[in-house]
Amino acid sequence: MLGTIWINTGMGLLAFVITLCTALASNVWLVSLERAGIALVIFFLAAFPIRFVLALVTQTPAQSAEAGGQEELNAPLADGGDEANPPGQTGEQAAAEAFSPLSFTKLETIHPSEDPATVAEVVRRLTDE
């Protein structure tokens, strides 16, 4: 689950303080304290499903697919080898040899020509259409 019990406590205490301050304006302090205590318990308990849903939403699909799809990756085909691999080579060995991550050492930026004649020509074309 996302976070710790301190998140629940913090949400509960925040609800307690806000409820106490707003309830004191129109109630006696004992009623205000009772309502603030109820708000603390409700928000403390409501933080559990909120944290659970946030953990499910923020979990990337690669993490869940990695655990279940590992067996499929290692399973050889019926003819003794993978489509791209020779019969003696496993899927992991081929994946390690074939995979190379992209590396962006320097992004190439194309600067538009700022020639006044070119800019005027572009403006003319755009206003004609």
Side-chain angles (χ1 to χ4, degrees):
M1 227 186 312
L2 186 66
T4 62
I5 197 74
W6 292 107
I7 293 174
N8 294 47
T9 307
M11 285 183 66
L13 288 175
L14 182 67
F16 178 85
V17 169
I18 291 172
T19 306
L20 184 66
C21 291
T22 56
L24 276 175
S26 61
N27 297 310
V28 292
W29 68 274
L30 190 57
V31 172
S32 301
L33 194 62
E34 180 183 350
R35 290 180 180 170
I38 292 170
L40 180 131
V41 171
I42 289 173
F43 275 79
F44 179 82
L45 294 176
F48 283 109
I50 292 170
R51 285 177 36 210
F52 179 73
V53 169
L54 282 176
L56 288 178
V57 169
T58 58
Q59 181 182 14
T60 60
Q63 291 173 347
S64 61
E66 184 178 326
Q70 191 66 24
E71 294 176 9
E72 295 173 5
L73 205 100
N74 295 337
L77 293 176
D79 63 354
D82 292 339
E83 293 173 354
N85 303 333
Q89 194 173 19
T90 63
E92 287 181 4
Q93 293 170 344
E97 292 174 4
F99 177 74
S100 62
L102 293 176
S103 62
F104 297 106
T105 56
K106 182 179 179 182
L107 292 176
E108 296 179 13
T109 57
I110 301 172
H111 297 289
S113 60
E114 297 174 0
D115 183 31
T118 308
V119 173
E121 184 66 31
V122 169
V123 170
R124 284 187 199 113
R125 287 182 186 172
L126 290 174
T127 54
D128 288 340
E129 295 176 4

